[in-house]
Amino acid sequence: MIPITDVTKPGQIVILNGAPRSGKSSIVKVIQDTFDGLWMNLGVDVFVREVTPKRYRPGMGLRPGEDDHVLAPLVPTLYAALYDSIAAHSRSGLNVVVDVGHHDAKILADSARRLAGLPVLFVGVRCPIEVVMERRNAGQVGREDEYAIGSETEPIPRPVELWQRTVHIPGIYDLEVDTSRQSPEECAAAIRRRLEDGPPPSAFLRLAKP
């Protein structure tokens, strides 16, 4: 058996934050397929589609502007559980890659505090809204009914505008990539270079402060 973890030190955590259809999942796949070591995918898609019961979906995937949704009070608890799980994996020596869409400052700050003392690289995944709409309108096999698409009367649905407006607030990152100009492989390569050659990440330390 080839050793796959070093339990004497925590595993690296890479968190990709961006709007739906910004290209996070494609970057996750490249990281899992090409980075050294074992990388666990603990993203929101996994928790919503595979972990959360259907009657409680979209769970933590609830869109911005839906504060009055019946599931809204549950979202902070779900995020807390997600980040506690990320921390547990890292402390076991496992690397973790996470795709999320943070649009609530309080939840983001609480999430950052839950990873205190662990190596976290926070990456902003940006993508112009026009490109996001192209991807939404083109559809995705197996997820045809999950994404709002444009129409003649509403070329850009309001939820998509809200995502674009809120997901990068406050915009504190260790690294930013743009999937309209960079392929998933290029984004992953930038992340690898930042991990290998960059200064110690500090975004989550700053976000965790009251």
Side-chain angles (χ1 to χ4, degrees):
M1 294 289 289
I2 300 174
I4 55 176
T5 63
D6 179 359
V7 296
T8 64
K9 63 179 183 179
Q12 177 66 54
I13 302 168
V14 172
I15 298 178
L16 309 174
N17 183 61
R21 303 301 281 138
S22 60
K24 303 185 301 295
S25 297
S26 297
I27 300 172
V28 169
K29 185 178 188 306
V30 176
I31 289 175
Q32 286 196 297
D33 289 347
T34 66
F35 278 26
D36 293 339
L38 174 61
W39 285 82
M40 306 297 288
N41 175 11
L42 297 183
V44 167
D45 279 353
V46 172
F47 271 71
V48 171
R49 299 177 67 190
E50 307 296 339
V51 178
T52 306
K54 286 186 177 180
R55 66 182 184 275
Y56 287 100
R57 296 177 191 171
M60 68 178 67
L62 204 64
R63 300 177 300 192
E66 295 185 322
D67 295 341
D68 58 348
H69 193 285
V70 66
L71 293 177
L74 182 62
V75 172
T77 300
L78 293 174
Y79 265 102
L82 169 65
Y83 274 86
D84 284 347
S85 179
I86 295 168
H89 279 72
S90 174
R91 292 189 182 107
S92 295
L94 297 168
N95 302 312
V96 185
V97 59
V98 184
D99 64 294
V100 289
H102 278 292
H103 57 83
D104 184 296
K106 290 183 179 179
I107 290 178
L108 177 56
D110 179 74
S111 300
R113 287 190 285 270
R114 291 176 185 275
L115 300 188
L118 298 173
V120 184
L121 184 76
F122 194 36
V123 181
V125 180
R126 295 188 180 271
C127 185
I129 197 167
E130 296 79 13
V131 177
V132 168
M133 286 310 306
E134 288 178 7
R135 295 172 181 174
R136 283 175 173 269
N137 293 336
Q140 185 176 9
V141 177
R143 306 184 69 174
E144 290 81 0
D145 299 325
E146 294 186 22
Y147 295 112
I149 61 174
S151 65
E152 290 186 4
T153 58
E154 193 179 27
I156 301 178
R158 184 171 181 272
V160 180
E161 291 182 349
L162 285 174
W163 270 119
Q164 200 75 3
R165 189 186 313 157
T166 61
V167 75
H168 293 298
I169 296 174
I172 297 173
Y173 294 113
D174 297 302
L175 174 71
E176 296 186 36
V177 295
D178 185 338
T179 62
S180 70
R181 298 186 291 109
Q182 297 166 279
S183 68
E185 291 76 15
E186 289 171 331
C187 292
I191 292 169
R192 185 198 296 271
R193 287 194 299 271
R194 180 62 176 77
L195 288 172
E196 294 177 348
D197 304 328
S202 63
F204 255 38
L205 289 173
R206 288 177 281 162
L207 288 166
K209 294 180 179 179

